[in-house]
Amino acid sequence: METQIIKEEQVGFDNKLREAALAVKNGGLVAFPTETVYGLGANAFDDLACKNIYKAKGRPSDNPLIVHVSDMDMAFSLIREYDERFLKLSEAFWSGPISFVLKKSDKVCQTVSAGLDTVAIRMPNHKLALELIKQAGVPIAAPSANISGRPSPTRSEHVVFDLSSRCDYILCANDFPIGVESTVLDLSTEETVILRPGFVTANMIKEKTGIEVTSHDADKTVSVPKSPGTKYKHYSPKARVYMVEQDFSSSDIEGFAKEKGVSVDKTRFLSYADDVEMAKNLFADFRDADKDGFELILVKPAKDGELLEANLNRLKKACED
Ligand code: TXA
Ligand code: MG
């Protein structure tokens, strides 16, 4: 398959975006930027097109997709029941980095929800994403635009590297995203539960809407996980990743590497000044380390900040064997 790579700064970008939107509407695959990470999109009403997302990524078929919308009418077309919390939360946080899991309507194709009775919906806060959805005129199902298991793409070149010849278009933005995927919040039962931590935290939700939220990141251990994606190995570079303590310094690298049986010159030490910088760069730094042939990556995470939980969640997953 030939992939057209379209850059935001190129002449005629608007026409190309229109072409890409038409391709999505008609069953094609288009990778596009969002404010969190890049996504690989297909028409959420087109079962075959959504199946092609799984093929292109090598994604396990029981891991459902988030559906991206550009307005509230589109969102309502995807859900079955009116939910007071959804109205409050979408008003407070959309467009933005939070996805809501709700009981799905019949319009959502089976493949999107991977057999579940629910659908995850989000309105991304990125002008190219919103424009693509609006012009396609249909909601766009999109997981992160990486080959399954690799770090989520936070730069257009990551998408080009993973998905060239596996999709119809790649839209490349000029800006860099937040770098961690959206918060996934379950509203399908009475309890309001965070299934995946992200930029929007339980505190922010409580502060802005008064809604009490439970965190639920341990669902990897239960036999039927509430959010199927959380049970898979994720975000991993080829190199082995270890998290180190806050008092770790460059002088400790040699000893640590030796203990793991790796030479110092094959060991990359990453350390982050603050949570925003860490979120923005972690996945890109993983990919760079792989490209440069490192075998061991030691990460000293930013020690606090609003993105602490999301950062540690992604890092710990990368550390798992
Ligand atoms: O920021 C993001 O959310 C990015 C951008 C592209 O929007 N997308 C993203 O998609 O991270 P993905 O497929 O990599 O992760 C989706 C997560 C998975 O953990 C999946 O299991 C969960 O959302 N999910 C999707 N639909 C669900 C549902 N109906 N019930 C529970 N969890 C769901
Ligand atoms: Mg992903």
Side-chain angles (χ1 to χ4, degrees):
M1 173 189 287
E2 197 202 330
T3 302
Q4 290 203 49
I5 297 164
I6 310 167
K7 300 207 160 96
E8 192 177 0
E9 66 273 14
Q10 84 186 42
V11 182
F13 177 81
D14 292 349
N15 286 334
K16 285 289 178 188
L17 182 87
R18 249 194 301 280
E19 261 180 38
L22 198 63
V24 170
K25 188 179 174 200
N26 294 328
L29 295 186
V30 175
F32 60 97
T34 80
E35 81 282 30
T36 55
V37 301
Y38 278 78
L40 175 64
N43 181 343
F45 297 148
D46 183 334
D47 204 67
L48 187 63
C50 291
K51 282 204 171 81
N52 286 334
I53 291 181
Y54 288 81
K55 262 194 219 151
K57 279 184 58 109
R59 183 181 177 97
S61 61
D62 66 346
N63 191 5
L65 309 175
I66 295 174
V67 180
H68 297 66
V69 298
S70 55
D71 60 56
M72 288 308 286
D73 282 345
M74 232 184 227
F76 285 126
S77 76
L78 301 168
I79 62 180
R80 193 163 73 226
E81 285 166 14
Y82 175 88
D83 188 295
E84 192 71 44
R85 291 168 299 175
F86 174 53
L87 292 187
K88 266 196 194 164
L89 287 159
S90 56
E91 175 131 350
F93 294 105
W94 273 3
S95 51
I98 183 163
S99 305
F100 302 114
V101 174
L102 291 146
K103 297 254 171 58
K104 75 180 183 83
S105 75
D106 292 340
K107 288 186 88 176
V108 180
C109 70
Q110 273 301 320
T111 300
V112 162
S113 44
L116 298 175
D117 188 35
T118 54
V119 62
I121 311 174
R122 102 175 181 93
M123 192 187 291
N125 180 20
H126 195 289
K127 68 173 195 299
L128 298 188
L130 290 171
E131 201 52 46
L132 181 73
I133 304 163
K134 215 178 282 171
Q135 293 202 23
V138 291
I140 297 184
S144 49
N146 51 287
I147 296 284
S148 226
R150 289 195 194 154
S152 291
T154 52
R155 313 278 184 268
S156 58
E157 58 265 30
H158 302 160
V159 186
V160 172
F161 185 81
D162 277 16
L163 296 179
S164 275
S165 79
R166 290 171 181 256
C167 62
D168 297 293
Y169 293 86
I170 298 174
L171 305 182
C172 306
N174 287 328
D175 51 354
F176 293 139
I178 297 167
V180 288
E181 308 83 348
S182 63
T183 305
V184 177
L185 190 69
D186 189 8
L187 302 177
S188 69
T189 61
E190 244 165 64
E191 206 183 359
T192 306
V193 184
I194 292 187
L195 301 176
R196 178 176 73 182
F199 181 87
V200 177
T201 62
N203 278 343
M204 291 180 201
I205 292 171
K206 171 85 176 133
E207 237 167 61
K208 278 200 160 181
T209 65
I211 295 172
E212 294 276 0
V213 168
T214 335
S215 243
H216 200 270
D217 195 38
D219 60 352
K220 199 173 171 257
T221 53
V222 300
S223 55
V224 182
K226 196 73 213 231
S227 195
T230 54
K231 73 173 186 254
Y232 292 108
K233 186 172 163 65
H234 260 96
Y235 321 118
S236 310
K238 289 196 202 89
R240 276 186 288 156
V241 183
Y242 289 89
M243 177 158 73
V244 297
E245 299 293 332
Q246 289 299 324
D247 60 359
F248 189 95
S249 71
S250 338
S251 60
D252 300 317
I253 298 172
E254 194 169 350
F256 199 106
K258 210 174 199 173
E259 205 179 284
K260 301 294 170 200
V262 176
S263 73
V264 187
D265 56 331
K266 291 280 175 203
T267 303
R268 163 78 49 99
F269 177 40
L270 302 170
S271 128
Y272 298 98
D274 64 66
D275 63 323
V276 174
E277 190 218 345
M278 177 167 171
K280 199 172 191 169
N281 294 309
L282 184 70
F283 292 150
D285 289 342
F286 281 168
R287 283 176 179 262
D288 285 345
D290 274 349
K291 210 165 61 194
D292 296 340
F294 287 97
E295 289 169 13
L296 190 63
I297 303 175
L298 310 181
V299 185
K300 178 154 82 176
K303 62 175 184 298
D304 48 25
E306 302 272 26
L307 281 159
L308 179 69
E309 199 192 345
N311 278 335
L312 292 182
N313 169 274
R314 305 315 189 263
L315 176 55
K316 282 180 183 156
K317 290 201 168 168
C319 291
E320 286 166 12
D321 279 329

